Amino acid sequence: MRAGATPDDGLPLVIAAAGAGGLRLTAVNPAAAALGLRRGEPLGRVRARLSTPPHVHPADPAADAAAFARLCLWAQRYTPSVVPFGPAEACDGLYLDVTGADHLMGGADKLVADLAARLARAGIPARIAVADTPGAAFALARHGREEMACVPSDETEQILRPLPVEALRCEPAVAVALKRLGLRRIGALLDAPRPPLARRFGEALLLRLDQATGRRPEPLSPISEPVRYGAARGFLDPVGSQEIVVATARRLMAEIAPRLEADGLGARGVRLSLHRVDDVVRALDLGLSEPSRCPDHVARLLQLRLERLGSGLDAGFGFETVRLDVAATGPMPGRQAALDTGPVPPGARIAGLADALRQRFGRPVIRLSPRASHVPERADRIAPWRTESRHTEPWRVERVVLHWPDPDAGIGPRPLVLFDRGEAAEDVIALVAEGPPRRFRWRSRLHRIAHAEGPERIAPEWWRETGIPRDYYVVECESGRRLWLYRDGPNLPERPAAWFVHGLFA
Amino acid sequence: MKPSRDEPEERPPSPAERIAALRVRLDAERRPDVGGVLPFGVADLDVRLPGGGLGLGLLHEIAPEGAGDEASALGFVLALVARHLARAAGDALLVVAPGHPIPYGHGLVGLGLDPGRLLLLEAEADAAVFGALEDTLRAGQLAAVAGLVADGLPLKPGRRLQLAAGSFGTAPPLLLILRPFRAALPNGAATRWRIAAGGAARDRFGCTLRPRWRARLDRCRNGRPGDWLLEWDHAAHRFDLPDGLARRAPDACGGYAG
């Protein structure tokens, strides 16, 4: 089972990766398969054989593994025990243990049909088989005749008999040796005397054979369910008052906190769902600047939020269920509580304040952070305010930390207020064509220039767009105000340059 | 009741003694109500302020002198914040009402204020600015808070802010309000400033060295108003009076070009 990286547009497409003796195909799409291309073929031979070579993509094993892991998680919609194929199965498929879960979909047949339909909709070609044992299911899915098969309980052995011996998940060398002996089908293997087989090929072949027929059990280790942190409380009598909702949320958080603590995590986002008696669900999302497990903190933020909502939170006839889920977590190492309250790190206290302001006024607290660009309007950005968590997440690969450049270290002066776009200056009169203006009109007021500094030429980012370099001047009006003015390119007779005010100095 | 004959030294104090007693009383009154002060570092200016600087935990109102001086007034506010942050630990919060710009990060660096220590909050209206400032003051975790309001500072929010700022005895924050130039309302501000652009200080090659502001102290409780041409040194976080050798002669009490 594999998902193509590009949409299947009918053109031959292959994926190649370094293998024995150079690049080899690891996957082919149907159009390429129609040309006779097979997995494992050297790419050089393919290029020599075909007049129009297929489109080749390099393999990306990491992305494949990630996509496959996502698929495994998705498959948990059918059953909680999902097992990805191991190395013996070439790691490209998954088992679903549907025992006791198939009736939820109305039987194994309907489950297979539903699975196939959903996979087809997602563009994932798949072969599906349902059998008593994982071994038999693997053999059928890989080497059976139909794309979808559902084997009745007592026919496992009959179905397996005509399949080739590779279907047993044995090593390729063993399969080749078996074929040399004339044992091409599993049926022949079943009829053959066991002791010579064990002597010649070892216990592994017989183990696989017995696992396929169900004579010996095959333990599977399903992927673990992603951990969720949440708690809910139902009320016999619907509640409507804000105090009760907040108190309940506080209790729920206190319930969740030990679980978070055991995993060394703190909540970065919390969602409170309020289920009204008339089946309307109100959800409130709280974001936290710093991972927290403190019930009081969550309760206080919630209180602020509810106060801001006021009557916007329509309680109707009351809420019958209050549910608190941790929507996002962050690492939060345990901190030893000191006997005295001690100095709380200032970042933690400010995080509490930032969260409170955000819940109260509905706007996040922000800060300015530098960006790697020399174009003035792109050289800073607004980022949500967060505590520096670099030391608490040592495993996370941090991006390069940018610093604000030293204002005295070479770059020209920068204004205190920068407009998003330059505002046009009109009626510009300059003494020399290439020089700074003597006076101009901006915001319907005439500005006479007493002093000008510049130009500082700032070119557009060459990797982004082609544009005209701007010539920046710091001009001081006769009133003493200083403005940042730029001319849009050189002043040519056929194209008089336009002037713009881009910023104000303090 | 007849005065006792045992106290013949009951005589009016000499003028020198009276002046000394008045000095002591004046000094006591000049000391700000709470916390310390943020001195400008300019002797001529600091002697006019009670306690020798801007009182911490008191409300200070700053306004541009006229239309077009808004950036200068903002620069003066941020320079004060930068000066305080250089002397005290902690961060600063700037609450911005609509109509005021968010300052440019590189410009802040150029004023000597580390943008990493400045929290910004864009408020929906003046009421939200006052609410956020009051909450922050009551939380008592920041070294400086400044509000940029769109309609001026009325009396009631001013009093509330003053109460919130004064409720912390140990390390009161610097509290500044920047209002538009028109909206002069009565409020409980300890000092009121009007700031106009002053033309930059230049070196002998004509390059900009430092920003200058014409700062007028309109009103000052227990102090004396005055006006000065102030220069801001972003590296040393210090205000200065321009020296006589600068290209533009200082006219500290002169008229305004605004």
Side-chain angles (χ1 to χ4, degrees), chain A residues 20-52:
Chain A
L23 288 175
R24 283 175 183 273
L25 306 190
T26 59
V28 295
N29 75 344
L35 291 173
L37 304 186
R38 294 286 170 267
R39 286 176 69 174
E41 215 173 332
L43 184 63
R45 196 193 296 167
V46 171
R47 286 199 168 127
R49 190 151 62 89
L50 298 180
S51 55
T52 52

PDB file of all heavy atoms in Angstrom, chain A residues 20-52:
ATOM      1  N   ALA A  20      21.027  -2.153  -4.316  1.00  0.00           N
ATOM      2  CA  ALA A  20      22.213  -2.906  -4.718  1.00  0.00           C
ATOM      3  C   ALA A  20      22.568  -2.544  -6.156  1.00  0.00           C
ATOM      4  O   ALA A  20      21.745  -2.658  -7.049  1.00  0.00           O
ATOM      5  CB  ALA A  20      21.925  -4.400  -4.584  1.00  0.00           C
ATOM      6  N   GLY A  21      23.767  -2.078  -6.393  1.00  0.00           N
ATOM      7  CA  GLY A  21      24.219  -1.776  -7.741  1.00  0.00           C
ATOM      8  C   GLY A  21      23.595  -0.522  -8.314  1.00  0.00           C
ATOM      9  O   GLY A  21      23.314  -0.471  -9.511  1.00  0.00           O
ATOM     10  N   GLY A  22      23.354   0.499  -7.525  1.00  0.00           N
ATOM     11  CA  GLY A  22      22.859   1.767  -8.038  1.00  0.00           C
ATOM     12  C   GLY A  22      21.400   1.978  -7.732  1.00  0.00           C
ATOM     13  O   GLY A  22      20.809   1.301  -6.883  1.00  0.00           O
ATOM     14  N   LEU A  23      20.815   2.944  -8.441  1.00  0.00           N
ATOM     15  CA  LEU A  23      19.419   3.285  -8.175  1.00  0.00           C
ATOM     16  C   LEU A  23      18.511   2.171  -8.682  1.00  0.00           C
ATOM     17  O   LEU A  23      18.682   1.657  -9.785  1.00  0.00           O
ATOM     18  CB  LEU A  23      19.059   4.605  -8.856  1.00  0.00           C
ATOM     19  CG  LEU A  23      19.653   5.862  -8.249  1.00  0.00           C
ATOM     20  CD1 LEU A  23      19.302   7.060  -9.098  1.00  0.00           C
ATOM     21  CD2 LEU A  23      19.163   6.054  -6.834  1.00  0.00           C
ATOM     22  N   ARG A  24      17.520   1.846  -7.848  1.00  0.00           N
ATOM     23  CA  ARG A  24      16.536   0.851  -8.254  1.00  0.00           C
ATOM     24  C   ARG A  24      15.149   1.404  -7.983  1.00  0.00           C
ATOM     25  O   ARG A  24      14.965   2.229  -7.090  1.00  0.00           O
ATOM     26  CB  ARG A  24      16.733  -0.452  -7.470  1.00  0.00           C
ATOM     27  CG  ARG A  24      17.896  -1.270  -7.974  1.00  0.00           C
ATOM     28  CD  ARG A  24      18.133  -2.470  -7.101  1.00  0.00           C
ATOM     29  NE  ARG A  24      19.304  -3.220  -7.562  1.00  0.00           N
ATOM     30  CZ  ARG A  24      19.234  -4.171  -8.499  1.00  0.00           C
ATOM     31  NH1 ARG A  24      18.078  -4.495  -9.044  1.00  0.00           N
ATOM     32  NH2 ARG A  24      20.333  -4.801  -8.885  1.00  0.00           N
ATOM     33  N   LEU A  25      14.191   0.906  -8.759  1.00  0.00           N
ATOM     34  CA  LEU A  25      12.823   1.368  -8.562  1.00  0.00           C
ATOM     35  C   LEU A  25      12.297   0.805  -7.246  1.00  0.00           C
ATOM     36  O   LEU A  25      12.496  -0.367  -6.934  1.00  0.00           O
ATOM     37  CB  LEU A  25      11.931   0.891  -9.710  1.00  0.00           C
ATOM     38  CG  LEU A  25      12.390   1.227 -11.124  1.00  0.00           C
ATOM     39  CD1 LEU A  25      11.274   0.888 -12.105  1.00  0.00           C
ATOM     40  CD2 LEU A  25      12.737   2.695 -11.241  1.00  0.00           C
ATOM     41  N   THR A  26      11.652   1.639  -6.472  1.00  0.00           N
ATOM     42  CA  THR A  26      11.009   1.140  -5.255  1.00  0.00           C
ATOM     43  C   THR A  26       9.499   1.174  -5.382  1.00  0.00           C
ATOM     44  O   THR A  26       8.816   0.518  -4.625  1.00  0.00           O
ATOM     45  CB  THR A  26      11.419   1.972  -4.033  1.00  0.00           C
ATOM     46  OG1 THR A  26      11.052   3.325  -4.268  1.00  0.00           O
ATOM     47  CG2 THR A  26      12.903   1.903  -3.784  1.00  0.00           C
ATOM     48  N   ALA A  27       8.979   1.934  -6.312  1.00  0.00           N
ATOM     49  CA  ALA A  27       7.534   1.946  -6.507  1.00  0.00           C
ATOM     50  C   ALA A  27       7.244   2.403  -7.920  1.00  0.00           C
ATOM     51  O   ALA A  27       7.985   3.220  -8.479  1.00  0.00           O
ATOM     52  CB  ALA A  27       6.866   2.882  -5.510  1.00  0.00           C
ATOM     53  N   VAL A  28       6.181   1.877  -8.509  1.00  0.00           N
ATOM     54  CA  VAL A  28       5.773   2.286  -9.862  1.00  0.00           C
ATOM     55  C   VAL A  28       4.275   2.541  -9.825  1.00  0.00           C
ATOM     56  O   VAL A  28       3.549   1.915  -9.064  1.00  0.00           O
ATOM     57  CB  VAL A  28       6.104   1.193 -10.908  1.00  0.00           C
ATOM     58  CG1 VAL A  28       7.593   1.001 -11.014  1.00  0.00           C
ATOM     59  CG2 VAL A  28       5.412  -0.110 -10.553  1.00  0.00           C
ATOM     60  N   ASN A  29       3.819   3.492 -10.637  1.00  0.00           N
ATOM     61  CA  ASN A  29       2.369   3.725 -10.689  1.00  0.00           C
ATOM     62  C   ASN A  29       1.772   2.866 -11.801  1.00  0.00           C
ATOM     63  O   ASN A  29       2.510   2.231 -12.569  1.00  0.00           O
ATOM     64  CB  ASN A  29       2.074   5.221 -10.842  1.00  0.00           C
ATOM     65  CG  ASN A  29       2.333   5.735 -12.239  1.00  0.00           C
ATOM     66  OD1 ASN A  29       3.008   5.075 -13.021  1.00  0.00           O
ATOM     67  ND2 ASN A  29       1.814   6.903 -12.545  1.00  0.00           N
ATOM     68  N   PRO A  30       0.458   2.773 -11.877  1.00  0.00           N
ATOM     69  CA  PRO A  30      -0.140   1.838 -12.848  1.00  0.00           C
ATOM     70  C   PRO A  30       0.345   2.068 -14.273  1.00  0.00           C
ATOM     71  O   PRO A  30       0.601   1.102 -15.007  1.00  0.00           O
ATOM     72  CB  PRO A  30      -1.638   2.115 -12.711  1.00  0.00           C
ATOM     73  CG  PRO A  30      -1.803   2.659 -11.345  1.00  0.00           C
ATOM     74  CD  PRO A  30      -0.555   3.399 -11.031  1.00  0.00           C
ATOM     75  N   ALA A  31       0.492   3.333 -14.669  1.00  0.00           N
ATOM     76  CA  ALA A  31       0.924   3.611 -16.039  1.00  0.00           C
ATOM     77  C   ALA A  31       2.320   3.048 -16.278  1.00  0.00           C
ATOM     78  O   ALA A  31       2.619   2.511 -17.351  1.00  0.00           O
ATOM     79  CB  ALA A  31       0.900   5.117 -16.288  1.00  0.00           C
ATOM     80  N   ALA A  32       3.174   3.168 -15.251  1.00  0.00           N
ATOM     81  CA  ALA A  32       4.526   2.647 -15.404  1.00  0.00           C
ATOM     82  C   ALA A  32       4.504   1.128 -15.395  1.00  0.00           C
ATOM     83  O   ALA A  32       5.275   0.478 -16.122  1.00  0.00           O
ATOM     84  CB  ALA A  32       5.411   3.181 -14.279  1.00  0.00           C
ATOM     85  N   ALA A  33       3.619   0.557 -14.574  1.00  0.00           N
ATOM     86  CA  ALA A  33       3.527  -0.901 -14.538  1.00  0.00           C
ATOM     87  C   ALA A  33       3.078  -1.435 -15.892  1.00  0.00           C
ATOM     88  O   ALA A  33       3.514  -2.507 -16.324  1.00  0.00           O
ATOM     89  CB  ALA A  33       2.558  -1.331 -13.441  1.00  0.00           C
ATOM     90  N   ALA A  34       2.221  -0.653 -16.577  1.00  0.00           N
ATOM     91  CA  ALA A  34       1.769  -1.087 -17.890  1.00  0.00           C
ATOM     92  C   ALA A  34       2.915  -1.130 -18.887  1.00  0.00           C
ATOM     93  O   ALA A  34       2.862  -1.863 -19.878  1.00  0.00           O
ATOM     94  CB  ALA A  34       0.674  -0.137 -18.383  1.00  0.00           C
ATOM     95  N   LEU A  35       3.949  -0.342 -18.663  1.00  0.00           N
ATOM     96  CA  LEU A  35       5.119  -0.356 -19.542  1.00  0.00           C
ATOM     97  C   LEU A  35       6.037  -1.532 -19.225  1.00  0.00           C
ATOM     98  O   LEU A  35       7.096  -1.669 -19.826  1.00  0.00           O
ATOM     99  CB  LEU A  35       5.902   0.941 -19.385  1.00  0.00           C
ATOM    100  CG  LEU A  35       5.244   2.206 -19.907  1.00  0.00           C
ATOM    101  CD1 LEU A  35       6.071   3.416 -19.535  1.00  0.00           C
ATOM    102  CD2 LEU A  35       5.076   2.116 -21.413  1.00  0.00           C
ATOM    103  N   GLY A  36       5.670  -2.317 -18.228  1.00  0.00           N
ATOM    104  CA  GLY A  36       6.485  -3.468 -17.885  1.00  0.00           C
ATOM    105  C   GLY A  36       7.516  -3.171 -16.817  1.00  0.00           C
ATOM    106  O   GLY A  36       8.432  -3.965 -16.605  1.00  0.00           O
ATOM    107  N   LEU A  37       7.412  -2.062 -16.157  1.00  0.00           N
ATOM    108  CA  LEU A  37       8.362  -1.742 -15.092  1.00  0.00           C
ATOM    109  C   LEU A  37       7.949  -2.466 -13.822  1.00  0.00           C
ATOM    110  O   LEU A  37       6.768  -2.584 -13.503  1.00  0.00           O
ATOM    111  CB  LEU A  37       8.398  -0.237 -14.838  1.00  0.00           C
ATOM    112  CG  LEU A  37       8.712   0.630 -16.053  1.00  0.00           C
ATOM    113  CD1 LEU A  37       8.859   2.076 -15.640  1.00  0.00           C
ATOM    114  CD2 LEU A  37       9.997   0.144 -16.718  1.00  0.00           C
ATOM    115  N   ARG A  38       8.918  -2.976 -13.101  1.00  0.00           N
ATOM    116  CA  ARG A  38       8.645  -3.700 -11.869  1.00  0.00           C
ATOM    117  C   ARG A  38       9.494  -3.134 -10.748  1.00  0.00           C
ATOM    118  O   ARG A  38      10.549  -2.531 -10.984  1.00  0.00           O
ATOM    119  CB  ARG A  38       8.989  -5.192 -12.052  1.00  0.00           C
ATOM    120  CG  ARG A  38       8.112  -5.910 -13.036  1.00  0.00           C
ATOM    121  CD  ARG A  38       6.716  -6.166 -12.458  1.00  0.00           C
ATOM    122  NE  ARG A  38       5.809  -6.644 -13.513  1.00  0.00           N
ATOM    123  CZ  ARG A  38       5.020  -5.850 -14.225  1.00  0.00           C
ATOM    124  NH1 ARG A  38       5.032  -4.545 -14.038  1.00  0.00           N
ATOM    125  NH2 ARG A  38       4.217  -6.357 -15.132  1.00  0.00           N
ATOM    126  N   ARG A  39       9.061  -3.343  -9.539  1.00  0.00           N
ATOM    127  CA  ARG A  39       9.849  -2.909  -8.380  1.00  0.00           C
ATOM    128  C   ARG A  39      11.173  -3.656  -8.363  1.00  0.00           C
ATOM    129  O   ARG A  39      11.243  -4.831  -8.692  1.00  0.00           O
ATOM    130  CB  ARG A  39       9.104  -3.218  -7.084  1.00  0.00           C
ATOM    131  CG  ARG A  39       7.958  -2.301  -6.833  1.00  0.00           C
ATOM    132  CD  ARG A  39       7.227  -2.725  -5.604  1.00  0.00           C
ATOM    133  NE  ARG A  39       8.026  -2.493  -4.406  1.00  0.00           N
ATOM    134  CZ  ARG A  39       7.565  -2.677  -3.178  1.00  0.00           C
ATOM    135  NH1 ARG A  39       6.354  -3.104  -3.001  1.00  0.00           N
ATOM    136  NH2 ARG A  39       8.328  -2.444  -2.141  1.00  0.00           N
ATOM    137  N   GLY A  40      12.223  -2.991  -7.953  1.00  0.00           N
ATOM    138  CA  GLY A  40      13.521  -3.630  -7.822  1.00  0.00           C
ATOM    139  C   GLY A  40      14.358  -3.559  -9.082  1.00  0.00           C
ATOM    140  O   GLY A  40      15.530  -3.919  -9.072  1.00  0.00           O
ATOM    141  N   GLU A  41      13.777  -3.102 -10.183  1.00  0.00           N
ATOM    142  CA  GLU A  41      14.525  -3.018 -11.436  1.00  0.00           C
ATOM    143  C   GLU A  41      15.535  -1.876 -11.351  1.00  0.00           C
ATOM    144  O   GLU A  41      15.218  -0.811 -10.808  1.00  0.00           O
ATOM    145  CB  GLU A  41      13.541  -2.732 -12.568  1.00  0.00           C
ATOM    146  CG  GLU A  41      13.909  -3.405 -13.870  1.00  0.00           C
ATOM    147  CD  GLU A  41      12.805  -3.233 -14.897  1.00  0.00           C
ATOM    148  OE1 GLU A  41      11.648  -3.096 -14.476  1.00  0.00           O
ATOM    149  OE2 GLU A  41      13.140  -3.204 -16.079  1.00  0.00           O
ATOM    150  N   PRO A  42      16.750  -2.052 -11.884  1.00  0.00           N
ATOM    151  CA  PRO A  42      17.699  -0.932 -11.862  1.00  0.00           C
ATOM    152  C   PRO A  42      17.193   0.195 -12.758  1.00  0.00           C
ATOM    153  O   PRO A  42      16.695  -0.050 -13.861  1.00  0.00           O
ATOM    154  CB  PRO A  42      18.991  -1.528 -12.409  1.00  0.00           C
ATOM    155  CG  PRO A  42      18.815  -2.985 -12.321  1.00  0.00           C
ATOM    156  CD  PRO A  42      17.348  -3.268 -12.423  1.00  0.00           C
ATOM    157  N   LEU A  43      17.353   1.397 -12.276  1.00  0.00           N
ATOM    158  CA  LEU A  43      16.844   2.551 -13.017  1.00  0.00           C
ATOM    159  C   LEU A  43      17.591   2.714 -14.338  1.00  0.00           C
ATOM    160  O   LEU A  43      17.010   3.107 -15.345  1.00  0.00           O
ATOM    161  CB  LEU A  43      16.975   3.816 -12.154  1.00  0.00           C
ATOM    162  CG  LEU A  43      16.399   5.097 -12.745  1.00  0.00           C
ATOM    163  CD1 LEU A  43      14.896   4.957 -12.935  1.00  0.00           C
ATOM    164  CD2 LEU A  43      16.687   6.277 -11.841  1.00  0.00           C
ATOM    165  N   GLY A  44      18.877   2.389 -14.345  1.00  0.00           N
ATOM    166  CA  GLY A  44      19.669   2.516 -15.562  1.00  0.00           C
ATOM    167  C   GLY A  44      19.125   1.642 -16.674  1.00  0.00           C
ATOM    168  O   GLY A  44      19.014   2.071 -17.822  1.00  0.00           O
ATOM    169  N   ARG A  45      18.712   0.427 -16.298  1.00  0.00           N
ATOM    170  CA  ARG A  45      18.188  -0.472 -17.315  1.00  0.00           C
ATOM    171  C   ARG A  45      16.863   0.063 -17.861  1.00  0.00           C
ATOM    172  O   ARG A  45      16.576  -0.027 -19.060  1.00  0.00           O
ATOM    173  CB  ARG A  45      17.998  -1.864 -16.721  1.00  0.00           C
ATOM    174  CG  ARG A  45      17.826  -2.933 -17.800  1.00  0.00           C
ATOM    175  CD  ARG A  45      17.336  -4.224 -17.199  1.00  0.00           C
ATOM    176  NE  ARG A  45      18.304  -4.799 -16.277  1.00  0.00           N
ATOM    177  CZ  ARG A  45      17.984  -5.795 -15.438  1.00  0.00           C
ATOM    178  NH1 ARG A  45      16.758  -6.272 -15.407  1.00  0.00           N
ATOM    179  NH2 ARG A  45      18.892  -6.278 -14.625  1.00  0.00           N
ATOM    180  N   VAL A  46      16.046   0.623 -16.952  1.00  0.00           N
ATOM    181  CA  VAL A  46      14.768   1.178 -17.392  1.00  0.00           C
ATOM    182  C   VAL A  46      15.002   2.281 -18.406  1.00  0.00           C
ATOM    183  O   VAL A  46      14.361   2.352 -19.458  1.00  0.00           O
ATOM    184  CB  VAL A  46      13.986   1.723 -16.174  1.00  0.00           C
ATOM    185  CG1 VAL A  46      12.765   2.498 -16.628  1.00  0.00           C
ATOM    186  CG2 VAL A  46      13.597   0.585 -15.259  1.00  0.00           C
ATOM    187  N   ARG A  47      15.969   3.145 -18.099  1.00  0.00           N
ATOM    188  CA  ARG A  47      16.223   4.278 -18.994  1.00  0.00           C
ATOM    189  C   ARG A  47      16.735   3.797 -20.334  1.00  0.00           C
ATOM    190  O   ARG A  47      16.452   4.386 -21.371  1.00  0.00           O
ATOM    191  CB  ARG A  47      17.252   5.204 -18.344  1.00  0.00           C
ATOM    192  CG  ARG A  47      16.646   5.994 -17.205  1.00  0.00           C
ATOM    193  CD  ARG A  47      17.516   7.194 -16.897  1.00  0.00           C
ATOM    194  NE  ARG A  47      16.819   8.108 -16.010  1.00  0.00           N
ATOM    195  CZ  ARG A  47      17.325   8.558 -14.878  1.00  0.00           C
ATOM    196  NH1 ARG A  47      18.538   8.181 -14.503  1.00  0.00           N
ATOM    197  NH2 ARG A  47      16.641   9.385 -14.131  1.00  0.00           N
ATOM    198  N   ALA A  48      17.517   2.697 -20.301  1.00  0.00           N
ATOM    199  CA  ALA A  48      18.048   2.184 -21.559  1.00  0.00           C
ATOM    200  C   ALA A  48      16.957   1.506 -22.365  1.00  0.00           C
ATOM    201  O   ALA A  48      16.970   1.529 -23.594  1.00  0.00           O
ATOM    202  CB  ALA A  48      19.181   1.200 -21.271  1.00  0.00           C
ATOM    203  N   ARG A  49      15.996   0.873 -21.662  1.00  0.00           N
ATOM    204  CA  ARG A  49      14.998   0.050 -22.333  1.00  0.00           C
ATOM    205  C   ARG A  49      13.900   0.894 -22.969  1.00  0.00           C
ATOM    206  O   ARG A  49      13.439   0.590 -24.063  1.00  0.00           O
ATOM    207  CB  ARG A  49      14.398  -0.887 -21.285  1.00  0.00           C
ATOM    208  CG  ARG A  49      13.510  -1.971 -21.817  1.00  0.00           C
ATOM    209  CD  ARG A  49      13.570  -3.177 -20.891  1.00  0.00           C
ATOM    210  NE  ARG A  49      13.086  -2.850 -19.550  1.00  0.00           N
ATOM    211  CZ  ARG A  49      11.803  -2.946 -19.196  1.00  0.00           C
ATOM    212  NH1 ARG A  49      10.904  -3.304 -20.063  1.00  0.00           N
ATOM    213  NH2 ARG A  49      11.427  -2.666 -17.977  1.00  0.00           N
ATOM    214  N   LEU A  50      13.489   1.956 -22.291  1.00  0.00           N
ATOM    215  CA  LEU A  50      12.349   2.726 -22.772  1.00  0.00           C
ATOM    216  C   LEU A  50      12.820   3.907 -23.608  1.00  0.00           C
ATOM    217  O   LEU A  50      13.812   4.556 -23.289  1.00  0.00           O
ATOM    218  CB  LEU A  50      11.534   3.250 -21.590  1.00  0.00           C
ATOM    219  CG  LEU A  50      10.908   2.182 -20.692  1.00  0.00           C
ATOM    220  CD1 LEU A  50      10.142   2.841 -19.573  1.00  0.00           C
ATOM    221  CD2 LEU A  50       9.994   1.287 -21.499  1.00  0.00           C
ATOM    222  N   SER A  51      12.069   4.180 -24.672  1.00  0.00           N
ATOM    223  CA  SER A  51      12.438   5.323 -25.509  1.00  0.00           C
ATOM    224  C   SER A  51      12.144   6.628 -24.776  1.00  0.00           C
ATOM    225  O   SER A  51      12.920   7.570 -24.813  1.00  0.00           O
ATOM    226  CB  SER A  51      11.678   5.254 -26.828  1.00  0.00           C
ATOM    227  OG  SER A  51      10.302   5.167 -26.556  1.00  0.00           O
ATOM    228  N   THR A  52      10.982   6.701 -24.098  1.00  0.00           N
ATOM    229  CA  THR A  52      10.684   7.880 -23.285  1.00  0.00           C
ATOM    230  C   THR A  52      10.709   7.441 -21.830  1.00  0.00           C
ATOM    231  O   THR A  52       9.779   6.795 -21.360  1.00  0.00           O
ATOM    232  CB  THR A  52       9.300   8.447 -23.622  1.00  0.00           C
ATOM    233  OG1 THR A  52       8.369   7.363 -23.532  1.00  0.00           O
ATOM    234  CG2 THR A  52       9.266   9.056 -24.978  1.00  0.00           C
TER     235      THR A  52
END
